[in-house]
Amino acid sequence: MLELNRDNLLPYLRAHYPAFDTSGEVTVSAIGDSEEDVPGLVNYIFRVRNASQSIIVKQGRPTLRAKLDDHWAVPTWRNRMEYLTLKLRHAITPEYVPQVYYIDRENNVFLMEDVSYLRLCRRQLTESVMLPLLGKQCAQFAATNAFYTSEYYLDTGLFRELSKVFTNTDMRSIMENWVLLRQGPVRDNPLTAHLRAGMEDDDTMAATYQMRHQFMAHGECLIHGDLHTTNLFADAGRLKVIDMEYTFAGPCCYDVGYLLASFVSQYCASLYRTFPTEEARRAFQTYMLQMIYDLVEGFRADFGAFWDRDAKPVYRRAPSYKRLLLDTFLQDIAGYAGTVILAYTLSASEFMLEFCTLPTQDLQLQASQLYFTMGRRLLLGRQGITSTADLISALLQSQVDYTRWCGR
């Protein structure tokens, strides 16, 4: 396999993708070279620009990009899976998914649209930029892709074939063990390692195993699998979703729970970072709570609307089943968000930009501990959540409890 780098990338493009003009001035940069980019854990990614075009070149290699435990080798064919799912999801939601241009199976490379005309969502939120449509757009992306790749809509045989194509065993095992058992390739952050004990009591582990079993047993639709704010590019009116190599058949609402964990971390960080005024802080916190509401309620509303319009007749014969399903989504979203929060609390220094940029280590610790408190409440209290308002109330009550505990 040819390993791409800045020196051989232009000759590679001339040979494999002559539609990209390399005759004039061309710049090649590795993603992660600039402060705006986040380099990522797994892949080698390059941005190539000429006077009128800009493309992303993404290569999958047998080992993780980050220098972690060699035990966490990853399959190179994940690259093909990502190319295919990008094509599929672009067909379903073209407004939210970048275009793909070319795939080279021999060298595990594909080319796609460069969406850097938008900015990384996580960085903007960490800078307290408010993107008014973000929650609703994410809800629509998740609901549309979940419903239209599910057996509620697709012919049963076609759905089974689709699930078989995207089995993706090696990549999904990372989520099954890292996110859902907190046994991953990243060592515990020394700042938060003491919180692991609070994740390994019997009640929390029993709830964790329940969510893991549900995750493994419910292949309901194609999920993104790693939907967080580092994989979103946005501005005030547009959204693009990237990094889909974890795609496989999973629970309908897993992606919403995963993204909810990212929204909650931004809310926690906003309690401890510097704002020009307290009024500005409160405005951003109100905004984040609204985004949480828009994400969860929007997902349920959109999924229900698609059901009413396009569910197979066999399902529309029982209107009560739709109501039961949408109610169950609330508990599942809370449970998945809780497991993700617990896992990411332990690895905050590597993956939580919003915490890393807090001005002191004490403030980083406070935000992480609050985040942990919220995650544990969502996981253990999920069965009592019967509305999106209940979910937000659980987060706010966690904040009250934590504030009392630490005497702030």
Side-chain angles (χ1 to χ4, degrees):
M1 183 178 79
L2 172 68
E3 293 194 355
L4 295 177
N5 56 50
R6 290 189 189 122
D7 296 328
N8 64 18
L9 193 47
L10 291 187
Y12 173 87
L13 288 175
R14 291 185 192 108
H16 289 264
Y17 190 64
F20 185 85
D21 183 6
T22 59
S23 61
E25 183 177 351
V26 180
T27 61
V28 177
S29 59
I31 299 296
D33 281 359
S34 75
E35 291 184 3
E36 185 67 19
D37 293 328
V38 174
L41 175 65
V42 178
N43 295 292
Y44 293 77
I45 308 172
F46 303 88
R47 177 179 290 115
V48 189
R49 283 180 171 150
N50 60 27
S52 60
Q53 298 167 285
S54 184
I55 61 171
I56 295 296
V57 180
K58 188 167 185 177
Q59 182 171 44
R61 299 182 192 172
T63 56
L64 300 175
R65 183 185 186 279
K67 304 304 180 187
L68 303 172
D69 189 342
D70 287 342
H71 170 72
W72 290 86
V74 285
T76 55
W77 49 255
R78 70 185 186 273
N79 192 269
R80 271 168 272 159
M81 292 294 99
E82 183 171 9
Y83 173 83
L84 290 173
T85 194
L86 280 164
K87 285 196 72 171
L88 175 62
R89 293 175 191 274
H90 183 79
I92 297 171
T93 48
E95 69 273 39
Y96 296 133
V97 179
Q99 286 185 282
V100 287
Y101 303 131
Y102 170 80
I103 185 167
D104 172 4
R105 290 175 171 81
E106 180 182 356
N107 293 300
N108 303 302
V109 173
F110 71 84
L111 313 183
M112 62 181 282
E113 175 188 359
D114 179 9
V115 297
S116 62
Y117 54 86
L118 306 174
R119 287 192 68 209
L120 191 70
C121 185
R122 176 163 258 153
R123 193 168 298 281
Q124 291 187 77
L125 294 175
T126 300
E127 295 168 358
S128 306
V129 175
M130 291 187 274
L131 303 164
L133 300 179
L134 181 63
K136 292 179 180 179
Q137 289 172 325
C138 291
Q140 187 175 60
F141 165 80
T144 310
N145 281 277
F147 181 81
Y148 288 103
T149 62
S150 76
E151 195 267 338
Y152 298 126
Y153 170 74
L154 293 173
D155 170 79
T156 302
L158 177 60
F159 170 74
R160 288 174 177 156
E161 288 300 314
L162 189 67
S163 300
K164 191 186 303 182
V165 169
F166 289 98
T167 302
N168 213 353
T169 301
D170 297 88
M171 296 304 291
R172 70 176 294 156
S173 67
I174 295 176
M175 292 299 165
E176 290 165 357
N177 295 309
W178 182 7
V179 175
L180 291 159
L181 284 183
R182 300 177 284 282
Q183 298 172 0
V186 180
R187 289 180 289 274
D188 286 359
N189 177 4
L191 188 67
T192 56
H194 65 286
L195 295 173
R196 182 176 281 277
M199 304 176 191
E200 295 184 345
D201 62 278
D202 188 57
D203 287 346
T204 307
M205 288 307 301
T208 298
Y209 281 121
Q210 278 186 309
M211 296 312 302
R212 183 175 184 267
H213 172 74
Q214 188 166 305
F215 177 83
M216 296 177 72
H218 290 187
E220 299 169 332
C221 67
L222 291 189
I223 63 172
H224 180 291
D226 194 26
L227 190 62
H228 52 76
T229 50
T230 304
N231 287 333
L232 306 178
F233 282 74
D235 63 14
R238 296 173 293 178
L239 172 72
K240 292 291 184 181
V241 183
I242 64 165
D243 204 10
M244 302 189 188
E245 65 197 338
Y246 289 94
T247 291
F248 47 82
C252 281
C253 54
Y254 179 75
D255 284 341
V256 178
Y258 203 104
L259 182 56
L260 173 60
S262 274
F263 283 7
V264 172
S265 66
Q266 290 290 346
Y267 179 83
C268 291
S270 72
L271 291 165
Y272 299 98
R273 70 170 172 260
T274 303
F275 283 81
T277 65
E278 282 304 306
E279 183 179 352
R281 183 191 306 277
R282 287 192 296 271
F284 186 79
Q285 290 167 356
T286 300
Y287 160 77
M288 284 312 311
L289 293 175
Q290 184 64 53
M291 291 306 98
I292 289 170
Y293 183 89
D294 289 349
L295 172 67
V296 176
E297 197 62 22
F299 175 78
R300 294 171 71 235
D302 289 343
F303 196 98
F306 298 143
W307 180 287
D308 291 340
R309 188 178 70 198
D310 289 327
K312 292 189 294 193
V314 65
Y315 287 113
R316 279 188 283 170
R317 286 165 47 195
S320 294
Y321 178 62
K322 184 191 83 170
R323 291 195 296 273
L324 288 170
L325 188 67
L326 297 180
D327 287 345
T328 303
F329 281 175
L330 282 166
Q331 289 89 48
D332 292 348
I333 289 168
Y336 289 126
T339 60
V340 173
I341 287 171
L342 296 187
Y344 275 79
T345 296
L346 293 173
S347 50
S349 63
E350 286 85 3
F351 298 98
M352 307 297 284
L353 176 68
E354 53 269 39
F355 293 167
C356 295
T357 53
L358 293 174
T360 69
Q361 194 170 80
D362 177 63
L363 293 176
Q364 294 173 23
L365 175 61
Q366 296 299 327
S368 297
Q369 290 181 157
L370 173 60
Y371 191 48
F372 160 76
T373 303
M374 289 182 171
R376 194 168 185 273
R377 182 182 288 268
L378 289 178
L379 176 60
L380 295 181
R382 67 192 186 281
Q383 293 176 346
I385 294 176
T386 60
S387 68
T388 304
D390 285 346
L391 190 151
I392 292 175
S393 293
L395 297 175
L396 294 176
Q397 187 58 52
S398 298
Q399 181 182 339
V400 170
D401 293 346
Y402 179 72
T403 300
R404 286 174 180 163
W405 175 80
C406 66
R408 294 182 64 87

